[in-house]
Amino acid sequence: MNLRYDEVVRSGIAKQVAENIRSAIMDGRLKIDERLPTEDDLARSFGISRPTVREALKRLAAQNLIHSRRGPQGGNFVKRPDPEGLSKAITGAATLLVGIGAFDIDEIVTARLETEKICCRMACENRQEDGLQAMAAEIVVQQDASISDEEFCASDVRFHRALVDSSGNGPLKLMMYTVIEAFIPITNMIVFRVRERRQVVAFHTQIIDAVRARDTDAATAALTSLLSYVRTSYSAALDARAKRDNT
Amino acid sequence: MNLRYDEVVRSGIAKQVAENIRSAIMDGRLKIDERLPTEDDLARSFGISRPTVREALKRLAAQNLIHSRRGPQGGNFVKRPDPEGLSKAITGAATLLVGIGAFDIDEIVTARLETEKICCRMACENRQEDGLQAMAAEIVVQQDASISDEEFCASDVRFHRALVDSSGNGPLKLMMYTVIEAFIPITNMIVFRVRERRQVVAFHTQIIDAVRARDTDAATAALTSLLSYVRTSYSAALDARAKRDNT
DNA sequence: ATTTAAATATAGGTTTGACAAATATAGGAT
DNA sequence: ATCCTATATTTGTCAAACCTATATTTAAAT
């Protein structure tokens, strides 16, 4: 461990200290699960006050880099990274970008289709039993007419998450967080009113059947049809909304 | 604006307040560029102390959701989202995940190849003059034998960023941040020692020529060859490193 | 000797109060 | 009209104290 105590200049101190510690984590000078010096020690070593140290630590905590524990064996510890830790950041940024109209739905659906097709192809090659079971379970959920729209949307997300997981590629999964956690929920929020559940389930069934049969062409064709349906449903939902707004 | 002041229970307060404000931003109750109440007002309204408010605000600042300014018209303001704001989070998480061996290089190269091929195809369809110029400029940089390895790697990243930008798809660009900001730099750090610059430049030239000619097959073939070269260079670099470690 | 309860120490969490620094604005001087 | 200075506002940092969660040690009970 080697924090660079002498590099901190006396303005915007909390941010600098956070960056300093962050660098130590990124460079491997601070290891996963390693305990940072106590708040008092950090304050002494950096020559600053403890509340300022705390502000710096809160920055790191918000970036999922550290977590704290109380007690004599407590302290602040470098957090083991997990892709889920990124999920909120990605979802939040995507949500805001959509909110300010930075992306339009066509772009979103295009990006989703192209990247999810990759996952489809890999899922066919892998044909993982776990993934097939997870997808099949969601299809069962979706066929239950009594579930709410919210639950149907959640199951839709879980189906696609299982499909992406079946690619078996960790880096690709990381990239697909944007799709699974942001783009699909955001789109679902608009289309849930007008789409037919049976139609969606039919596409999901086609996808899973194709994956079982390792038929990449059928899988990607089914996905393409599904997303084309999403596209037209989105337009229909916007039309319906415009009609509602005019009455 | 409608912060939920009464929802905060008296433990882990700073985190709760941050989540509360974050929700307001995500739900659109707080708009882009909108000014939050002053720290004193927030403290009063939540019934907590000002340093605790500050800890909460530092969490939000670390998530690129707000930024602060001093003075009579100062305060904390909701930040306009920008994909670059995500860059550090993505790079950091990917770096750590690679560091703990969660991803191996084959997976990384595979994910990169499949997704970057999509960008290639779109770039050919679009054939944007701006993008071509940016890529061509980087090729010129890369042909200069006097630049350092570091500069060559940086130019390599910029070339691929220009290629990805030429896809013209914002959501896809957002997803490709992981590749551009994390996977390529991480891989470059290992292979820079063994790869031939001329070979890389040749592949880059093939890619740009194909994009100019709107030849998607040639573009994706050139990219595939480039990444195959990265793969073998990576193996060679690991071998060379193993040899160095044994002497 | 073993188990349970209480006391103690440690480290993070929060509060109170004060001062410093950056910045915009208003008023006065030229 | 322009420039300079004083003032007000808001964030940034500090000092000192107290609170709370948690692990460990000590003392008491069985």
Side-chain angles (χ1 to χ4, degrees):
Chain A
M1 184 191 339
N2 188 9
L3 301 178
R4 296 173 177 154
Y5 297 118
D6 51 336
E7 284 186 359
V8 175
V9 301
R10 311 212 67 87
S11 176
I13 293 180
K15 189 171 175 186
Q16 289 178 67
V17 170
E19 286 295 327
N20 185 314
I21 296 171
R22 181 196 155 88
S23 293
I25 295 171
M26 290 297 136
D27 294 346
R29 283 177 282 127
L30 273 172
K31 306 299 183 192
I32 306 297
D33 292 324
E34 186 170 352
R35 185 169 173 276
L36 269 64
T38 64
E39 291 177 358
D40 281 338
D41 285 346
L42 286 171
R44 224 170 352 248
S45 301
F46 281 110
I48 60 178
S49 73
R50 190 181 149 218
T52 305
V53 168
R54 293 183 54 78
E55 289 188 10
L57 294 177
K58 291 300 179 283
R59 284 175 176 271
L60 296 169
Q63 293 171 344
N64 278 295
L65 292 174
I66 64 170
H67 64 104
S68 67
R69 209 161 54 230
R70 296 188 192 186
Q73 303 297 321
N76 287 281
F77 297 82
V78 179
K79 217 170 157 187
R80 178 159 293 271
D82 63 290
E84 280 82 8
L86 252 191
S87 173
K88 198 195 289 189
I90 292 174
T91 305
T95 302
L96 291 177
L97 286 163
V98 170
I100 64 169
F103 301 152
D104 72 50
I105 188 64
D106 272 338
E107 298 196 278
I108 288 173
V109 174
T110 300
R112 179 182 165 195
L113 175 61
E114 294 300 327
T115 50
E116 212 171 337
K117 279 200 293 193
I118 298 172
C119 300
C120 255
R121 286 197 287 266
M122 289 187 181
C124 289
E125 287 163 19
N126 293 338
R127 201 186 175 289
Q128 285 180 352
E129 203 51 46
D130 283 357
L132 286 167
Q133 281 176 19
M135 284 188 276
E138 294 307 332
I139 288 173
V140 170
V141 169
Q142 288 154 22
Q143 287 166 332
D144 176 359
S146 70
I147 65 170
S148 65
D149 282 324
E150 195 174 20
E151 278 160 349
F152 188 89
C153 290
S155 180
D156 183 49
V157 168
R158 291 196 298 267
F159 177 88
H160 289 278
R161 185 184 290 128
L163 177 64
V164 167
D165 288 352
S166 298
S167 74
N169 185 303
L172 187 60
K173 272 169 66 183
L174 181 64
M175 294 169 68
M176 293 302 286
Y177 265 92
T178 310
V179 172
I180 302 296
E181 305 298 334
F183 294 157
I184 297 181
I186 286 162
T187 327
N188 278 350
M189 263 192 288
I190 306 288
V191 303
F192 78 88
R193 242 183 252 281
V194 302
R195 76 183 166 188
E196 303 251 0
R197 292 185 185 182
R198 253 175 325 178
Q199 186 60 268
V200 173
V201 172
F203 288 129
H204 285 176
T205 305
Q206 283 170 36
I207 290 169
I208 197 176
D209 288 345
V211 173
R212 278 207 186 96
R214 294 188 194 264
D215 186 343
T216 57
D217 289 340
T220 53
L223 183 69
T224 302
S225 300
L226 171 63
L227 292 203
S228 179
Y229 184 66
V230 169
R231 233 187 270 260
T232 55
S233 301
Y234 199 87
S235 298
L238 290 194
D239 288 345
R241 185 193 286 193
K243 225 176 252 180
R244 279 204 310 275
D245 286 352
N246 283 344
T247 57
Chain B
M1 184 189 341
N2 189 10
L3 301 178
R4 297 173 174 154
Y5 297 119
D6 49 333
E7 284 186 356
V8 174
V9 301
R10 310 213 66 85
S11 177
I13 294 179
K15 189 173 177 185
Q16 287 178 67
V17 171
E19 287 296 326
N20 185 316
I21 296 171
R22 182 197 155 87
S23 292
I25 295 171
M26 290 297 136
D27 294 345
R29 280 177 281 124
L30 274 172
K31 307 296 182 192
I32 307 295
D33 293 323
E34 185 168 357
R35 185 168 173 277
L36 270 65
T38 64
E39 293 177 356
D40 281 337
D41 286 345
L42 287 171
R44 224 171 348 252
S45 301
F46 282 110
I48 62 177
S49 73
R50 190 179 148 222
T52 304
V53 167
R54 293 183 55 77
E55 288 188 10
L57 295 177
K58 290 300 178 285
R59 284 176 174 270
L60 296 170
Q63 292 171 342
N64 279 295
L65 292 173
I66 65 172
H67 65 102
S68 66
R69 204 157 62 228
R70 299 188 192 185
Q73 304 297 320
N76 288 278
F77 298 82
V78 180
K79 218 171 157 187
R80 179 159 293 272
D82 63 289
E84 280 82 10
L86 257 189
S87 172
K88 198 193 290 186
I90 292 173
T91 305
T95 302
L96 292 177
L97 286 164
V98 170
I100 64 170
F103 300 152
D104 73 48
I105 188 63
D106 272 338
E107 297 195 280
I108 289 174
V109 175
T110 299
R112 180 181 164 196
L113 175 60
E114 294 300 327
T115 50
E116 211 170 339
K117 278 200 292 195
I118 297 171
C119 300
C120 255
R121 285 197 286 269
M122 289 184 179
C124 289
E125 286 162 21
N126 294 338
R127 199 186 178 288
Q128 284 180 354
E129 203 50 48
D130 284 358
L132 286 167
Q133 281 175 17
M135 285 190 275
E138 293 307 332
I139 288 174
V140 170
V141 170
Q142 289 154 20
Q143 286 167 331
D144 176 359
S146 69
I147 64 170
S148 66
D149 282 323
E150 194 173 23
E151 278 159 351
F152 188 89
C153 291
S155 180
D156 182 50
V157 168
R158 289 195 300 266
F159 177 88
H160 289 279
R161 185 184 289 129
L163 177 63
V164 167
D165 287 352
S166 298
S167 73
N169 184 303
L172 187 59
K173 271 170 65 182
L174 180 65
M175 293 170 68
M176 294 302 287
Y177 264 92
T178 310
V179 173
I180 302 296
E181 305 299 335
F183 293 158
I184 297 182
I186 286 162
T187 327
N188 277 349
M189 265 193 286
I190 306 287
V191 304
F192 78 89
R193 241 183 254 278
V194 302
R195 77 183 164 188
E196 301 251 0
R197 292 186 184 181
R198 251 173 327 178
Q199 186 62 266
V200 172
V201 173
F203 289 129
H204 285 175
T205 305
Q206 283 170 35
I207 290 168
I208 196 175
D209 289 344
V211 174
R212 276 207 187 97
R214 296 187 193 263
D215 186 343
T216 56
D217 288 340
T220 53
L223 183 69
T224 302
S225 299
L226 170 63
L227 291 202
S228 179
Y229 184 65
V230 169
R231 235 189 268 260
T232 56
S233 300
Y234 198 89
S235 299
L238 289 194
D239 288 346
R241 185 194 287 195
K243 225 177 256 187
R244 276 205 310 274
D245 285 352
N246 283 344
T247 57

